[in-house]
Structures are given as structure tokens and as C-alpha cells.
Amino acid sequence: MRDKVSAIILTKNEKLHIERCISSLMLAGVSVFVVDSGSTDGTIEIAEHLGATVFNNPWKNYADQFQWGLDNCPINTEWVMRMDADEYLEPDLIEEIKAGLDSVENDIMGLYIRRKYFFLGQWIRRGAVYPLNLLRIWRAGKGRIESRWMDEHIILEGAGKTQFLQGHIVDDNLNNTRWYIDKHNKYADREMLDILGRKYNLFKHDNSISEDSTNKQARIKRLVKEVVYNKIPLFVRPTLYFLYRYFLRLGILDGTKGFAFHFMQGYWYRSLVDLRVYEAEIKMKSCSTKGERLQVLKDLTGLDV
């Protein structure tokens, strides 16, 4: 029987994770497309050996790369799925997808899946990290990704309902903490671009999730972030956010590894974003044109803005 779901995975040097990810999808009967941006560690060979179809495309940002995959991968299944290379499906979700999603009614356009986040091998259950409901499966031709530098979501086009699957995706990155810090340095650059891009109207602002009635959790989080959090003074807001997550949302119950995660992701990273914003605005004080501001951001990040 022809597969009913096709997954798109973006990769660059994901040797540690790609076999685990693709194998879990294959167990669910999912066709796999990998869009690679220059791997040199054997990622492509592993993916092809497992039966995935691999494409190559230069990297700009996640949103552009994933949309390229949607537009160029020869998907001929009823459903499309978004997966990251360091994620995998738990057995109950494998069984749900393997069953062919036959119980899904015709007016359902998208399917939400809960994600478990692991840090240093531990499931982070608290601190507003779980449950996180993500639109990860949608009918082919009915979804696109927001054009943003950071915090991009899948947007359903046209009318349609959504429902939740019962199984989980697990996000468990096996790289060390040096890699984690490097990754979040790059995230901070991208988030700074989003913040200052909106403030100075430097890019076309895609905020489609705010109009998507099917994604209540993402809409609320985006609203709180842009209307409340970003209005709080720099460096004050990460302190308040960490205290909220660690004490009010009981991140303290996640133990030692939980403290490390909530501190790094809820305080250190958010402070790093503020530092990037602060530095950029100092350099942009003398700028009088959009082009000059864009050049400052390009020089600070090395990104093609």
C-alpha cells in the first residue's frame, strides 16, 4: 500500500541523529525527504542507505529551506510531516501513523502532536516546556511555513479543522553543551533580526500565526512575546522570565539537569538575545536609512539579510 505521509527533514552534519530519526519514520510507513545544506560527516550517505530521498540546497534560514522542500520535493502522499533531525517518534505515535490515519475525517486539515524535550538525557516536564503542541502533519498542499528568521510555524491555508494525535515526538539532541551554546548563539542572531526587523520595518513581516484560528497555543505565546515580553526593558525581562519558569511553573522540580536547562534556555539565552539587540542598536544610532541598518545587521551576524 502506498505511503500516506511524507516527512521533510532539514540536515547539515546530523550523523548523530539521522538514523534514529529516519528509522522511526520508516517504522511508521512514512516516506522521507531530506533537504541537506552541505553535510560532510556522512549524513547524506546514511539517509540514502536508509531509503530517504536526498536533495541539496544552500542554507539561508530555516523557513526558506523548509519552504524550498515543500515546493521542490516530489511529494505524492495525502499528508506532509515536519521533522527535525534530532527528533524521533515514540512507539504509540508510530502505531497511530502506521494505521494510516484512517480515522481522520475529511474536513481535518492538520494534526497536532505533543513534543517531549530532553536535555542531557532527561525529559524536561515542567517550566512551561511540556506539553508543547505542534502542528506537524497537514494535508498536502494545505500548509506553508511562516517567512521569519526565528519562531516559524506551519500555517494552514483555507478553511479546515485540526485534531490532536495521542502519541509524542521526542526532541533529544545528543551533541554536547559546547554545541548547544554555539547553536543558541546562532539562534540569538536570528531572533535579534526578527526583533529589530519589526522595530525598524526592515523585512516583510510575516505574522500569519496571529490569524490562524487553529493554533491557539502558538498564537497566545506569540502575542505574549511581542506585546508583553518585548515591551519590558532589556535584561529585566530574561530575569522575570526565568523566575516565572523556574518557580511559578515549577521548573525547580526538574532537578539539577532541569535547573541547567531552565537557566540556560530561560535566562542565559534570553539575556544573550537582549545583548545582541543592545549591541546592534548602539551601532545603528548613527544610521539614517534602511540600507545602513541592514548593513549593520549583516556585519554583526554574517547572515544574508
Side-chain angles (χ1 to χ4, degrees):
M1 183 176 68
R2 185 169 67 90
D3 294 342
K4 290 193 173 184
V5 183
S6 294
I8 296 176
I9 309 169
L10 307 186
T11 60
K12 183 175 182 180
N13 293 335
E14 290 287 355
K15 182 180 179 180
L16 275 179
H17 306 111
I18 194 63
E19 181 173 358
R20 183 184 66 180
C21 179
I22 292 176
S23 295
S24 72
L25 290 166
M26 293 290 188
L27 286 173
V30 175
S31 298
V32 178
F33 294 96
V34 169
V35 181
D36 190 79
S37 55
S39 290
T40 57
D41 67 344
T43 295
I44 295 174
E45 292 77 8
I46 294 170
E48 290 178 335
H49 176 74
L50 292 170
T53 303
V54 179
F55 294 87
N56 293 279
N57 191 59
W59 181 268
K60 179 181 179 182
N61 58 42
Y62 189 101
D64 281 13
Q65 188 78 333
F66 193 85
Q67 190 61 49
W68 187 94
L70 286 176
D71 294 338
N72 291 276
C73 293
I75 294 169
N76 60 5
T77 53
E78 183 179 356
W79 298 91
V80 183
M81 184 175 190
R82 173 183 177 181
M83 282 286 286
D84 289 342
D86 58 0
E87 297 175 334
Y88 62 92
L89 312 182
E90 286 199 328
D92 51 355
L93 182 57
I94 289 174
E95 291 305 315
E96 280 185 276
I97 297 174
K98 190 176 180 180
L101 307 178
D102 292 330
S103 62
V104 178
E105 298 180 359
N106 291 333
D107 61 346
I108 300 297
M109 294 295 110
L111 301 171
Y112 282 89
I113 303 174
R114 290 171 294 175
R115 187 189 71 178
K116 293 179 179 178
Y117 189 93
F118 279 67
F119 182 74
L120 297 178
Q122 175 179 309
W123 177 16
I124 305 299
R125 298 170 180 254
R126 302 169 184 87
V129 176
Y130 178 86
L132 180 60
N133 303 313
L134 302 169
L135 180 64
R136 284 303 189 91
I137 301 178
W138 60 95
R139 292 195 187 273
K142 297 297 183 180
R144 66 172 181 84
I145 195 164
E146 284 183 296
S147 180
R148 297 173 63 95
W149 283 96
M150 192 69 181
D151 191 32
E152 59 285 303
H153 293 271
I154 296 295
I155 304 298
L156 293 178
E157 304 282 4
K161 299 178 182 178
T162 60
Q163 74 178 44
F164 286 81
L165 297 181
Q166 298 303 306
H168 289 79
I169 286 174
V170 175
D171 182 334
D172 184 8
N173 194 287
L174 302 176
N175 285 294
N176 61 28
T177 54
R178 177 183 290 274
W179 179 93
Y180 177 92
I181 290 170
D182 290 343
K183 172 186 174 182
H184 281 77
N185 265 305
K186 295 172 184 175
Y187 279 178
D189 282 342
R190 290 163 51 187
E191 190 145 1
M192 179 263 284
L193 290 176
D194 260 350
I195 292 170
L196 295 182
R198 277 192 301 276
K199 181 174 181 178
Y200 294 101
N201 196 28
L202 299 178
F203 313 112
K204 182 180 178 181
H205 182 47
D206 188 349
N207 199 26
S208 301
I209 197 67
S210 298
E211 302 167 3
D212 184 357
S213 61
T214 67
N215 200 337
K216 182 178 179 181
Q217 186 184 45
R219 282 190 295 119
I220 292 173
K221 289 182 69 175
R222 176 77 56 80
L223 183 67
V224 169
K225 184 176 181 180
E226 295 185 355
V227 177
V228 180
Y229 183 86
N230 285 347
K231 304 299 182 184
I232 300 172
L234 296 176
F235 306 113
V236 174
R237 54 198 187 192
T239 304
L240 296 176
Y241 181 53
F242 170 72
L243 294 174
Y244 163 76
R245 280 179 53 160
Y246 196 63
F247 293 106
L248 291 181
R249 295 303 300 269
L250 301 180
I252 192 172
L253 299 180
D254 281 323
T256 302
K257 293 178 181 178
F259 171 78
F261 172 76
H262 293 300
F263 178 82
M264 293 298 292
Q265 205 266 347
Y267 183 74
W268 171 81
Y269 169 66
R270 302 304 331 168
S271 297
L272 184 61
V273 172
D274 280 3
L275 182 60
R276 291 285 199 276
V277 171
Y278 183 65
E279 178 186 24
E281 295 219 87
I282 289 174
K283 294 181 179 295
M284 290 167 64
K285 280 184 177 179
S286 61
C287 297
S288 57
T289 67
K290 177 179 176 179
E292 290 174 341
R293 292 189 177 101
L294 286 172
Q295 187 60 50
V296 167
L297 297 181
K298 184 175 183 178
D299 291 343
L300 284 174
T301 65
L303 296 171
D304 182 15
V305 300

